[in-house]
């Protein structure tokens, strides 16, 4: 558990300076898309703020019959480039999951799937994908290129 806390704190320390420079072409494209899709209701906007932290778990999908869960999370559009938001969500969601934890993030609720498998469009709109699988020795945090264009492990 202490190792997880240290990893989260290190991640936060390294990501804070980047958030000041997190503007990208994707932000502009999404602003246009958001204007075009103004069908989002006030209830949807309030739901995104429900956790009080800029994120909300919308759906939890099970991977087959394995008992392993994938958390589908909505983040506020205006804060989708804030890396600390993702770190806080991952810490809270995975705090009691020592063996397996997977969290996926979107900034537009209409792309959040109701199952673990993603369509091409859902994958394209994915902002962050976090996976910790102790049995397989995997701990991976992948960012969309719009959030971290310098990432060596950028999402497609």
């Amino acid at each position: 558990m202490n190792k997880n806390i240290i990893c989260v704190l290190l991640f936060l320390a390294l990501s804070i300076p980047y958030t000041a420079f997190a503007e990208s072409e994707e932000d502009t494209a999404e602003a246009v898309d958001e204007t075009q899709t103004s069908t989002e209701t006030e209830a949807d906007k309030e739901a995104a703020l429900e956790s009080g932290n800029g994120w909300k778990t919308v759906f939890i999908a099970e991977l087959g019959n394995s008992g392993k869960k994938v958390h589908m999370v909505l983040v506020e559009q205006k804060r989708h480039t804030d890396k600390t938001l993702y770190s806080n969500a991952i810490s809270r969601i995975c705090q009691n999951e020592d063996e397996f934890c997977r969290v996926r993030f979107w900034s537009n609720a209409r792309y959040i799937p109701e199952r673990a498998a993603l369509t091409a469009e859902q994958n394209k709109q994915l902002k962050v994908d976090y996976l910790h699988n102790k049995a397989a020795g995997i701990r991976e945090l992948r960012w969309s290129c719009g959030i971290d264009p310098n990432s060596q492990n950028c999402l497609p």
Side-chain angles (χ1 to χ4, degrees):
M1 185 65 176
N2 289 336
K3 186 177 178 184
N4 289 342
I5 293 171
I6 292 170
C7 289
V8 169
L9 291 175
L10 181 60
F11 173 74
L12 285 172
L14 294 174
S15 65
I16 290 172
Y18 179 77
T19 59
F21 304 102
E23 189 86 20
S24 73
E25 291 178 14
E26 184 176 293
D27 296 341
T28 307
E30 285 180 3
V32 171
D33 185 47
E34 187 175 55
T35 303
Q36 293 172 347
T37 59
S38 60
T39 59
E40 186 172 292
T41 66
E42 288 300 315
D44 291 336
K45 291 178 183 176
E46 287 178 23
L49 301 173
E50 200 171 282
S51 74
N53 298 315
W55 62 273
K56 176 188 168 195
T57 300
V58 174
F59 192 78
I60 300 173
E62 186 174 356
L63 291 171
N65 294 323
S66 67
K68 296 176 180 175
K69 309 281 190 220
V70 179
H71 300 262
M72 311 296 182
V73 178
L74 177 67
V75 297
E76 290 178 344
Q77 175 63 35
K78 65 184 179 188
R79 293 183 60 196
H80 83 275
T81 59
D82 181 358
K83 287 185 172 184
T84 59
L85 179 136
Y86 299 101
S87 180
N88 291 335
I90 290 167
S91 294
R92 285 202 50 205
I93 292 169
C94 297
Q95 68 184 350
N96 296 323
E97 305 293 333
D98 292 333
E99 297 297 318
F100 182 90
C101 188
R102 185 159 205 171
V103 187
R104 292 176 170 161
F105 297 88
W106 288 266
S107 63
N108 189 327
R110 74 178 186 184
Y111 293 109
I112 298 176
E114 293 183 1
R115 57 191 185 123
L118 305 179
T119 66
E121 190 62 27
Q122 290 166 336
N123 194 46
K124 181 179 175 185
Q125 297 297 322
L126 184 63
K127 300 298 177 198
V128 174
D129 189 3
Y130 172 77
L131 172 63
H132 168 68
N133 185 341
K134 188 174 183 178
I138 298 171
R139 183 177 299 263
E140 183 176 76
L141 181 64
R142 296 176 56 204
W143 304 94
S144 78
C145 296
I147 295 175
D148 190 353
N150 298 323
S151 175
Q152 295 175 353
N153 201 12
C154 200
L155 290 168

